Amino acid sequence: MGFWIFPFKPMKINDSLLGSLKLEDYVLEKKYDGYRALLIVEEAGFKLFTRQKVELPIPNNLRPQIESLRLPPGTVLDGELWTPSSRGSWTHDRNVVCSLTFWDVIAFNGKSVGSNTLEERRAILENLLGAGTENVGMVIQEPVTKERIEEIRKEAMEHRVASQSRSGFVHGVVLKRKGSPRRDNPNRSVEHADWMKLVYWAQN
């Protein structure tokens, strides 16, 4: 593995903080309930890792789809590996159909792009992934409104109730500050308020 950086984490907040934020300074992304996954592409091929540097098995449906994207060596993408069925079930059965949703790029052509703005990194990601594949693609970015946050909360909770499970394909939102760089760390993954998450858990 020729390139590694510990990716920073979103800071967990609650609804009470929303009133003090200038929402127009952020973009909104859905937070998927899965495993944080770094896709590292080298000359010898590609691998997936957790943010703790643990290699992840690649579900069978995803390997040919990733190959079809023909990502150049020196690419490192940041995203989530997830399935709307049982969370982590693919670790025991690689035939479970999974999705890989990317939200950021850490390196391109062997060079870090962490100091680039959120918008510049998004443009690189769009260029790399294009329209994506059936199960590999980019998270949608949206304007932040309290109404949209409530819609996603409802979606997440209804799925959890219907599936009778603590896991679900969406379990919150992440707010990302416009114009922000990445806040990765060479030693460990740390939280930073440039990314803030609201996580919704099932009600008893």
Short mmCIF file of all heavy atoms in Angstrom, two decimals, residues 19-78:
data_model
loop_
_atom_site.label_atom_id
_atom_site.label_comp_id
_atom_site.label_asym_id
_atom_site.label_seq_id
_atom_site.Cartn_x
_atom_site.Cartn_y
_atom_site.Cartn_z
N GLY A 19 -29.57 25.72 15.01
CA GLY A 19 -30.04 27.10 15.09
C GLY A 19 -28.91 28.11 15.13
O GLY A 19 -29.13 29.29 14.80
N SER A 20 -27.70 27.68 15.48
CA SER A 20 -26.57 28.61 15.57
C SER A 20 -25.70 28.58 14.32
O SER A 20 -24.71 29.32 14.23
CB SER A 20 -25.72 28.30 16.80
OG SER A 20 -25.16 27.00 16.69
N LEU A 21 -26.03 27.72 13.34
CA LEU A 21 -25.24 27.61 12.13
C LEU A 21 -25.82 28.46 11.01
O LEU A 21 -27.04 28.62 10.90
CB LEU A 21 -25.20 26.15 11.65
CG LEU A 21 -24.50 25.12 12.53
CD1 LEU A 21 -24.64 23.75 11.90
CD2 LEU A 21 -23.04 25.46 12.74
N LYS A 22 -24.95 29.00 10.18
CA LYS A 22 -25.39 29.63 8.94
C LYS A 22 -25.49 28.52 7.90
O LYS A 22 -24.49 28.11 7.30
CB LYS A 22 -24.39 30.70 8.50
CG LYS A 22 -24.33 31.92 9.40
CD LYS A 22 -23.27 32.90 8.92
CE LYS A 22 -23.59 33.42 7.52
NZ LYS A 22 -22.59 34.42 7.07
N LEU A 23 -26.67 27.97 7.73
CA LEU A 23 -26.85 26.79 6.91
C LEU A 23 -26.40 27.00 5.48
O LEU A 23 -25.98 26.05 4.80
CB LEU A 23 -28.31 26.33 6.96
CG LEU A 23 -28.84 25.93 8.34
CD1 LEU A 23 -30.26 25.40 8.22
CD2 LEU A 23 -27.94 24.91 9.02
N GLU A 24 -26.44 28.24 5.00
CA GLU A 24 -26.01 28.49 3.62
C GLU A 24 -24.51 28.32 3.44
O GLU A 24 -24.01 28.28 2.30
CB GLU A 24 -26.42 29.91 3.19
CG GLU A 24 -25.79 31.03 3.99
CD GLU A 24 -26.61 31.45 5.20
OE1 GLU A 24 -27.43 30.62 5.68
OE2 GLU A 24 -26.45 32.60 5.65
N ASP A 25 -23.77 28.18 4.54
CA ASP A 25 -22.32 27.96 4.46
C ASP A 25 -21.96 26.48 4.28
O ASP A 25 -20.77 26.14 4.20
CB ASP A 25 -21.62 28.47 5.72
CG ASP A 25 -21.63 29.99 5.82
OD1 ASP A 25 -21.89 30.66 4.79
OD2 ASP A 25 -21.37 30.52 6.93
N TYR A 26 -22.96 25.60 4.21
CA TYR A 26 -22.73 24.16 4.18
C TYR A 26 -23.48 23.50 3.02
O TYR A 26 -24.43 24.06 2.48
CB TYR A 26 -23.18 23.50 5.49
CG TYR A 26 -22.44 23.98 6.70
CD1 TYR A 26 -22.82 25.15 7.36
CD2 TYR A 26 -21.34 23.29 7.19
CE1 TYR A 26 -22.14 25.62 8.46
CE2 TYR A 26 -20.64 23.75 8.30
CZ TYR A 26 -21.04 24.91 8.93
OH TYR A 26 -20.35 25.37 10.02
N VAL A 27 -23.03 22.30 2.68
CA VAL A 27 -23.79 21.42 1.80
C VAL A 27 -24.20 20.21 2.63
O VAL A 27 -23.59 19.90 3.66
CB VAL A 27 -23.00 20.97 0.55
CG1 VAL A 27 -22.70 22.17 -0.34
CG2 VAL A 27 -21.72 20.24 0.94
N LEU A 28 -25.22 19.51 2.17
CA LEU A 28 -25.77 18.37 2.91
C LEU A 28 -25.57 17.10 2.10
O LEU A 28 -25.77 17.09 0.88
CB LEU A 28 -27.26 18.62 3.18
CG LEU A 28 -28.04 17.51 3.91
CD1 LEU A 28 -29.15 18.14 4.76
CD2 LEU A 28 -28.67 16.52 2.92
N GLU A 29 -25.20 16.03 2.79
CA GLU A 29 -25.12 14.71 2.20
C GLU A 29 -25.81 13.71 3.12
O GLU A 29 -25.74 13.84 4.34
CB GLU A 29 -23.66 14.28 2.01
CG GLU A 29 -22.86 15.15 1.08
CD GLU A 29 -21.40 14.76 1.00
OE1 GLU A 29 -20.98 13.80 1.72
OE2 GLU A 29 -20.67 15.40 0.24
N LYS A 30 -26.46 12.70 2.54
CA LYS A 30 -26.99 11.62 3.35
C LYS A 30 -25.83 10.80 3.92
O LYS A 30 -24.80 10.63 3.27
CB LYS A 30 -27.88 10.70 2.51
CG LYS A 30 -29.21 11.31 2.12
CD LYS A 30 -30.05 10.31 1.34
CE LYS A 30 -31.42 10.87 1.00
NZ LYS A 30 -32.23 9.89 0.23
N LYS A 31 -26.03 10.31 5.15
CA LYS A 31 -25.02 9.45 5.79
C LYS A 31 -25.50 8.01 5.73
O LYS A 31 -26.54 7.67 6.28
CB LYS A 31 -24.79 9.87 7.24
CG LYS A 31 -23.63 9.13 7.87
CD LYS A 31 -23.36 9.58 9.29
CE LYS A 31 -22.06 8.98 9.80
NZ LYS A 31 -21.98 7.52 9.63
N TYR A 32 -24.74 7.18 5.03
CA TYR A 32 -25.12 5.78 4.85
C TYR A 32 -24.61 4.93 6.02
O TYR A 32 -23.56 5.21 6.60
CB TYR A 32 -24.57 5.26 3.53
CG TYR A 32 -25.27 5.88 2.35
CD1 TYR A 32 -24.85 7.11 1.84
CD2 TYR A 32 -26.37 5.28 1.77
CE1 TYR A 32 -25.50 7.71 0.77
CE2 TYR A 32 -27.03 5.86 0.71
CZ TYR A 32 -26.60 7.08 0.22
OH TYR A 32 -27.25 7.67 -0.82
N ASP A 33 -25.37 3.90 6.34
CA ASP A 33 -25.05 3.04 7.48
C ASP A 33 -24.25 1.85 6.99
O ASP A 33 -24.79 0.84 6.56
CB ASP A 33 -26.36 2.58 8.14
CG ASP A 33 -26.10 1.80 9.42
OD1 ASP A 33 -24.96 1.80 9.90
OD2 ASP A 33 -27.06 1.20 9.94
N GLY A 34 -22.94 1.99 7.04
CA GLY A 34 -22.09 0.91 6.57
C GLY A 34 -20.72 1.02 7.18
O GLY A 34 -20.57 1.34 8.35
N TYR A 35 -19.70 0.78 6.36
CA TYR A 35 -18.31 0.83 6.80
C TYR A 35 -17.59 1.93 6.03
O TYR A 35 -17.62 1.94 4.80
CB TYR A 35 -17.62 -0.51 6.55
CG TYR A 35 -18.02 -1.60 7.51
CD1 TYR A 35 -19.26 -2.23 7.39
CD2 TYR A 35 -17.19 -2.00 8.55
CE1 TYR A 35 -19.64 -3.23 8.27
CE2 TYR A 35 -17.56 -3.00 9.43
CZ TYR A 35 -18.79 -3.61 9.28
OH TYR A 35 -19.18 -4.59 10.15
N ARG A 36 -16.94 2.83 6.74
CA ARG A 36 -16.09 3.82 6.09
C ARG A 36 -15.07 3.08 5.24
O ARG A 36 -14.38 2.16 5.74
CB ARG A 36 -15.39 4.67 7.15
CG ARG A 36 -14.50 5.80 6.63
CD ARG A 36 -15.30 7.00 6.23
NE ARG A 36 -14.44 8.13 5.87
CZ ARG A 36 -14.10 9.10 6.73
NH1 ARG A 36 -14.52 9.06 7.99
NH2 ARG A 36 -13.36 10.12 6.32
N ALA A 37 -14.97 3.42 3.98
CA ALA A 37 -14.13 2.66 3.07
C ALA A 37 -13.24 3.58 2.25
O ALA A 37 -13.74 4.51 1.61
CB ALA A 37 -15.00 1.81 2.13
N LEU A 38 -11.94 3.32 2.29
CA LEU A 38 -10.99 4.02 1.44
C LEU A 38 -10.60 3.08 0.30
O LEU A 38 -10.13 1.97 0.55
CB LEU A 38 -9.73 4.40 2.22
CG LEU A 38 -9.90 5.31 3.43
CD1 LEU A 38 -8.52 5.71 3.96
CD2 LEU A 38 -10.71 6.54 3.11
N LEU A 39 -10.83 3.53 -0.91
CA LEU A 39 -10.42 2.76 -2.08
C LEU A 39 -9.05 3.27 -2.51
O LEU A 39 -8.90 4.45 -2.86
CB LEU A 39 -11.42 2.93 -3.22
CG LEU A 39 -11.04 2.24 -4.53
CD1 LEU A 39 -11.08 0.71 -4.36
CD2 LEU A 39 -11.93 2.67 -5.67
N ILE A 40 -8.05 2.40 -2.47
CA ILE A 40 -6.68 2.76 -2.84
C ILE A 40 -6.32 2.01 -4.12
O ILE A 40 -6.37 0.78 -4.16
CB ILE A 40 -5.70 2.44 -1.71
CG1 ILE A 40 -6.06 3.26 -0.47
CG2 ILE A 40 -4.26 2.72 -2.14
CD1 ILE A 40 -5.13 3.06 0.71
N VAL A 41 -6.00 2.77 -5.16
CA VAL A 41 -5.68 2.19 -6.47
C VAL A 41 -4.19 2.34 -6.71
O VAL A 41 -3.64 3.44 -6.66
CB VAL A 41 -6.46 2.90 -7.59
CG1 VAL A 41 -6.20 2.21 -8.93
CG2 VAL A 41 -7.96 2.93 -7.28
N GLU A 42 -3.53 1.20 -6.97
CA GLU A 42 -2.10 1.19 -7.27
C GLU A 42 -1.88 0.45 -8.58
O GLU A 42 -2.82 -0.11 -9.16
CB GLU A 42 -1.33 0.53 -6.13
CG GLU A 42 -1.47 1.26 -4.81
CD GLU A 42 -0.68 0.59 -3.69
OE1 GLU A 42 -0.75 -0.65 -3.57
OE2 GLU A 42 0.00 1.31 -2.94
N GLU A 43 -0.64 0.43 -9.06
CA GLU A 43 -0.32 -0.27 -10.30
C GLU A 43 -0.72 -1.73 -10.24
O GLU A 43 -1.17 -2.32 -11.24
CB GLU A 43 1.18 -0.15 -10.60
CG GLU A 43 1.65 1.25 -10.96
CD GLU A 43 1.22 1.70 -12.34
OE1 GLU A 43 0.68 0.86 -13.10
OE2 GLU A 43 1.44 2.88 -12.67
N ALA A 44 -0.59 -2.34 -9.06
CA ALA A 44 -0.88 -3.77 -8.90
C ALA A 44 -2.37 -4.06 -8.77
O ALA A 44 -2.77 -5.23 -8.79
CB ALA A 44 -0.14 -4.31 -7.69
N GLY A 45 -3.21 -3.04 -8.63
CA GLY A 45 -4.64 -3.25 -8.47
C GLY A 45 -5.22 -2.32 -7.43
O GLY A 45 -4.64 -1.28 -7.12
N PHE A 46 -6.34 -2.70 -6.86
CA PHE A 46 -7.00 -1.84 -5.88
C PHE A 46 -7.45 -2.66 -4.67
O PHE A 46 -7.68 -3.87 -4.76
CB PHE A 46 -8.21 -1.12 -6.50
CG PHE A 46 -9.25 -2.03 -7.09
CD1 PHE A 46 -10.25 -2.59 -6.29
CD2 PHE A 46 -9.25 -2.32 -8.44
CE1 PHE A 46 -11.21 -3.43 -6.83
CE2 PHE A 46 -10.22 -3.16 -8.99
CZ PHE A 46 -11.20 -3.71 -8.19
N LYS A 47 -7.55 -1.96 -3.53
CA LYS A 47 -8.01 -2.57 -2.30
C LYS A 47 -8.87 -1.58 -1.54
O LYS A 47 -8.78 -0.36 -1.75
CB LYS A 47 -6.83 -3.00 -1.41
CG LYS A 47 -5.99 -4.13 -1.99
CD LYS A 47 -4.86 -4.53 -1.04
CE LYS A 47 -4.04 -5.67 -1.61
NZ LYS A 47 -2.94 -6.08 -0.68
N LEU A 48 -9.69 -2.11 -0.64
CA LEU A 48 -10.51 -1.29 0.25
C LEU A 48 -10.00 -1.42 1.67
O LEU A 48 -9.63 -2.52 2.11
CB LEU A 48 -11.98 -1.74 0.21
CG LEU A 48 -12.82 -1.39 -1.00
CD1 LEU A 48 -14.20 -2.03 -0.87
CD2 LEU A 48 -12.95 0.11 -1.18
N PHE A 49 -9.99 -0.30 2.39
CA PHE A 49 -9.55 -0.29 3.78
C PHE A 49 -10.53 0.51 4.64
O PHE A 49 -11.15 1.47 4.16
CB PHE A 49 -8.16 0.34 3.91
CG PHE A 49 -7.06 -0.45 3.28
CD1 PHE A 49 -6.74 -0.27 1.94
CD2 PHE A 49 -6.35 -1.39 4.01
CE1 PHE A 49 -5.73 -1.00 1.35
CE2 PHE A 49 -5.33 -2.13 3.43
CZ PHE A 49 -5.02 -1.94 2.09
N THR A 50 -10.63 0.14 5.91
CA THR A 50 -11.35 0.97 6.87
C THR A 50 -10.46 2.15 7.23
O THR A 50 -9.28 2.20 6.86
CB THR A 50 -11.66 0.20 8.17
OG1 THR A 50 -10.42 -0.04 8.87
CG2 THR A 50 -12.35 -1.13 7.88
N ARG A 51 -11.01 3.10 7.97
CA ARG A 51 -10.18 4.25 8.37
C ARG A 51 -9.13 3.86 9.41
O ARG A 51 -8.21 4.61 9.67
CB ARG A 51 -11.05 5.40 8.88
CG ARG A 51 -11.77 5.14 10.19
CD ARG A 51 -12.35 6.44 10.75
NE ARG A 51 -13.05 6.21 11.99
CZ ARG A 51 -14.36 6.15 12.12
NH1 ARG A 51 -15.14 6.32 11.06
NH2 ARG A 51 -14.92 5.94 13.29
N GLN A 52 -9.27 2.64 10.01
CA GLN A 52 -8.27 2.15 10.96
C GLN A 52 -7.19 1.32 10.25
O GLN A 52 -6.39 0.66 10.89
CB GLN A 52 -8.92 1.31 12.05
CG GLN A 52 -9.80 2.08 12.99
CD GLN A 52 -11.24 2.19 12.48
OE1 GLN A 52 -11.62 1.51 11.52
NE2 GLN A 52 -12.04 3.04 13.12
N LYS A 53 -7.18 1.34 8.92
CA LYS A 53 -6.16 0.67 8.13
C LYS A 53 -6.35 -0.85 8.10
O LYS A 53 -5.40 -1.61 7.92
CB LYS A 53 -4.76 1.01 8.65
CG LYS A 53 -3.65 0.98 7.60
CD LYS A 53 -2.36 1.49 8.20
CE LYS A 53 -1.23 1.46 7.17
NZ LYS A 53 0.03 1.96 7.73
N VAL A 54 -7.60 -1.30 8.25
CA VAL A 54 -7.91 -2.72 8.16
C VAL A 54 -8.47 -2.99 6.77
O VAL A 54 -9.41 -2.31 6.32
CB VAL A 54 -8.94 -3.14 9.23
CG1 VAL A 54 -9.33 -4.60 9.05
CG2 VAL A 54 -8.38 -2.89 10.63
N GLU A 55 -7.91 -3.97 6.08
CA GLU A 55 -8.38 -4.28 4.73
C GLU A 55 -9.79 -4.88 4.78
O GLU A 55 -10.09 -5.74 5.62
CB GLU A 55 -7.44 -5.23 4.01
CG GLU A 55 -7.82 -5.45 2.56
CD GLU A 55 -6.81 -6.26 1.77
OE1 GLU A 55 -5.71 -6.54 2.32
OE2 GLU A 55 -7.12 -6.62 0.62
N LEU A 56 -10.65 -4.41 3.88
CA LEU A 56 -12.03 -4.90 3.79
C LEU A 56 -12.16 -5.88 2.64
O LEU A 56 -11.61 -5.65 1.56
CB LEU A 56 -12.99 -3.73 3.55
CG LEU A 56 -13.26 -2.78 4.72
CD1 LEU A 56 -13.93 -1.51 4.21
CD2 LEU A 56 -14.14 -3.47 5.75
N PRO A 57 -12.90 -6.98 2.84
CA PRO A 57 -13.18 -7.86 1.70
C PRO A 57 -14.07 -7.11 0.71
O PRO A 57 -14.95 -6.34 1.10
CB PRO A 57 -13.91 -9.04 2.34
CG PRO A 57 -14.51 -8.49 3.60
CD PRO A 57 -13.55 -7.44 4.08
N ILE A 58 -13.84 -7.31 -0.57
CA ILE A 58 -14.62 -6.63 -1.60
C ILE A 58 -15.77 -7.53 -2.03
O ILE A 58 -15.54 -8.64 -2.51
CB ILE A 58 -13.74 -6.25 -2.80
CG1 ILE A 58 -12.61 -5.33 -2.35
CG2 ILE A 58 -14.57 -5.58 -3.89
CD1 ILE A 58 -11.63 -4.96 -3.45
N PRO A 59 -17.02 -7.09 -1.85
CA PRO A 59 -18.16 -7.91 -2.27
C PRO A 59 -18.06 -8.25 -3.76
O PRO A 59 -17.56 -7.45 -4.57
CB PRO A 59 -19.36 -6.99 -1.99
CG PRO A 59 -18.89 -6.10 -0.89
CD PRO A 59 -17.45 -5.84 -1.18
N ASN A 60 -18.57 -9.43 -4.11
CA ASN A 60 -18.41 -9.92 -5.47
C ASN A 60 -19.04 -9.01 -6.52
O ASN A 60 -18.52 -8.89 -7.63
CB ASN A 60 -19.00 -11.33 -5.58
CG ASN A 60 -18.18 -12.36 -4.83
OD1 ASN A 60 -17.00 -12.15 -4.54
ND2 ASN A 60 -18.80 -13.48 -4.47
N ASN A 61 -20.16 -8.38 -6.20
CA ASN A 61 -20.80 -7.53 -7.21
C ASN A 61 -20.03 -6.25 -7.49
O ASN A 61 -20.19 -5.63 -8.55
CB ASN A 61 -22.24 -7.19 -6.80
CG ASN A 61 -22.31 -6.19 -5.65
OD1 ASN A 61 -21.78 -6.45 -4.56
ND2 ASN A 61 -22.94 -5.06 -5.88
N LEU A 62 -19.17 -5.84 -6.54
CA LEU A 62 -18.49 -4.56 -6.68
C LEU A 62 -17.17 -4.64 -7.45
O LEU A 62 -16.79 -3.67 -8.12
CB LEU A 62 -18.23 -3.94 -5.30
CG LEU A 62 -19.46 -3.50 -4.52
CD1 LEU A 62 -19.04 -2.87 -3.19
CD2 LEU A 62 -20.32 -2.52 -5.32
N ARG A 63 -16.48 -5.76 -7.35
CA ARG A 63 -15.15 -5.82 -7.97
C ARG A 63 -15.18 -5.51 -9.47
O ARG A 63 -14.42 -4.65 -9.94
CB ARG A 63 -14.49 -7.18 -7.72
CG ARG A 63 -13.08 -7.27 -8.28
CD ARG A 63 -12.39 -8.55 -7.86
NE ARG A 63 -12.08 -8.54 -6.43
CZ ARG A 63 -11.03 -7.94 -5.90
NH1 ARG A 63 -10.19 -7.26 -6.68
NH2 ARG A 63 -10.81 -8.00 -4.61
N PRO A 64 -16.04 -6.17 -10.27
CA PRO A 64 -16.03 -5.84 -11.71
C PRO A 64 -16.51 -4.42 -12.00
O PRO A 64 -16.08 -3.80 -12.98
CB PRO A 64 -16.98 -6.88 -12.33
CG PRO A 64 -17.84 -7.34 -11.19
CD PRO A 64 -16.97 -7.27 -9.97
N GLN A 65 -17.37 -3.88 -11.13
CA GLN A 65 -17.84 -2.52 -11.34
C GLN A 65 -16.73 -1.50 -11.09
O GLN A 65 -16.58 -0.52 -11.83
CB GLN A 65 -19.05 -2.23 -10.45
CG GLN A 65 -20.27 -3.06 -10.81
CD GLN A 65 -21.48 -2.71 -9.99
OE1 GLN A 65 -21.85 -1.54 -9.86
NE2 GLN A 65 -22.13 -3.72 -9.42
N ILE A 66 -15.93 -1.74 -10.05
CA ILE A 66 -14.78 -0.86 -9.77
C ILE A 66 -13.78 -0.96 -10.92
O ILE A 66 -13.25 0.06 -11.40
CB ILE A 66 -14.13 -1.21 -8.43
CG1 ILE A 66 -15.10 -1.00 -7.27
CG2 ILE A 66 -12.87 -0.37 -8.21
CD1 ILE A 66 -14.60 -1.53 -5.94
N GLU A 67 -13.53 -2.18 -11.39
CA GLU A 67 -12.60 -2.36 -12.50
C GLU A 67 -13.05 -1.59 -13.73
O GLU A 67 -12.23 -1.00 -14.45
CB GLU A 67 -12.46 -3.85 -12.82
CG GLU A 67 -11.73 -4.65 -11.75
CD GLU A 67 -11.75 -6.15 -12.01
OE1 GLU A 67 -12.56 -6.59 -12.86
OE2 GLU A 67 -10.98 -6.88 -11.35
N SER A 68 -14.35 -1.57 -13.98
CA SER A 68 -14.87 -0.92 -15.18
C SER A 68 -14.67 0.59 -15.17
O SER A 68 -14.70 1.23 -16.23
CB SER A 68 -16.36 -1.23 -15.34
OG SER A 68 -17.15 -0.53 -14.39
N LEU A 69 -14.44 1.17 -14.00
CA LEU A 69 -14.22 2.62 -13.90
C LEU A 69 -12.82 3.02 -14.37
O LEU A 69 -12.58 4.20 -14.64
CB LEU A 69 -14.44 3.09 -12.46
CG LEU A 69 -15.88 2.97 -11.94
CD1 LEU A 69 -15.92 3.25 -10.44
CD2 LEU A 69 -16.81 3.92 -12.69
N ARG A 70 -11.91 2.06 -14.42
CA ARG A 70 -10.53 2.30 -14.90
C ARG A 70 -9.89 3.50 -14.18
O ARG A 70 -9.37 4.42 -14.81
CB ARG A 70 -10.52 2.51 -16.42
CG ARG A 70 -11.06 1.33 -17.19
CD ARG A 70 -10.91 1.49 -18.69
NE ARG A 70 -11.46 0.37 -19.42
CZ ARG A 70 -10.85 -0.80 -19.62
NH1 ARG A 70 -9.64 -0.98 -19.11
NH2 ARG A 70 -11.43 -1.77 -20.30
N LEU A 71 -9.95 3.45 -12.88
CA LEU A 71 -9.37 4.54 -12.08
C LEU A 71 -7.85 4.49 -12.18
O LEU A 71 -7.25 3.42 -12.08
CB LEU A 71 -9.82 4.41 -10.62
CG LEU A 71 -11.33 4.51 -10.38
CD1 LEU A 71 -11.67 4.15 -8.95
CD2 LEU A 71 -11.84 5.91 -10.72
N PRO A 72 -7.20 5.62 -12.34
CA PRO A 72 -5.74 5.62 -12.51
C PRO A 72 -5.02 5.30 -11.21
O PRO A 72 -5.49 5.64 -10.12
CB PRO A 72 -5.45 7.05 -12.97
CG PRO A 72 -6.58 7.86 -12.41
CD PRO A 72 -7.78 6.97 -12.45
N PRO A 73 -3.86 4.63 -11.31
CA PRO A 73 -3.05 4.40 -10.11
C PRO A 73 -2.72 5.73 -9.44
O PRO A 73 -2.56 6.76 -10.09
CB PRO A 73 -1.78 3.74 -10.67
CG PRO A 73 -2.22 3.11 -11.95
CD PRO A 73 -3.26 4.03 -12.51
N GLY A 74 -2.63 5.67 -8.10
CA GLY A 74 -2.41 6.90 -7.35
C GLY A 74 -3.69 7.59 -6.94
O GLY A 74 -3.67 8.70 -6.43
N THR A 75 -4.82 6.89 -7.14
CA THR A 75 -6.13 7.42 -6.74
C THR A 75 -6.49 6.88 -5.36
O THR A 75 -6.36 5.68 -5.10
CB THR A 75 -7.23 7.01 -7.73
OG1 THR A 75 -6.94 7.58 -9.01
CG2 THR A 75 -8.61 7.46 -7.27
N VAL A 76 -6.95 7.74 -4.47
CA VAL A 76 -7.49 7.32 -3.17
C VAL A 76 -8.82 8.02 -2.97
O VAL A 76 -8.87 9.26 -2.94
CB VAL A 76 -6.53 7.65 -2.01
CG1 VAL A 76 -7.11 7.15 -0.69
CG2 VAL A 76 -5.15 7.05 -2.25
N LEU A 77 -9.89 7.24 -2.84
CA LEU A 77 -11.23 7.78 -2.67
C LEU A 77 -11.77 7.45 -1.29
O LEU A 77 -11.44 6.41 -0.71
CB LEU A 77 -12.18 7.23 -3.75
CG LEU A 77 -11.78 7.44 -5.21
CD1 LEU A 77 -12.86 6.90 -6.13
CD2 LEU A 77 -11.50 8.91 -5.50
N ASP A 78 -12.62 8.30 -0.79
CA ASP A 78 -13.19 8.19 0.56
C ASP A 78 -14.70 8.01 0.44
O ASP A 78 -15.36 8.79 -0.25
CB ASP A 78 -12.87 9.49 1.32
CG ASP A 78 -13.12 9.39 2.81
OD1 ASP A 78 -13.56 8.32 3.29
OD2 ASP A 78 -12.87 10.39 3.51
#
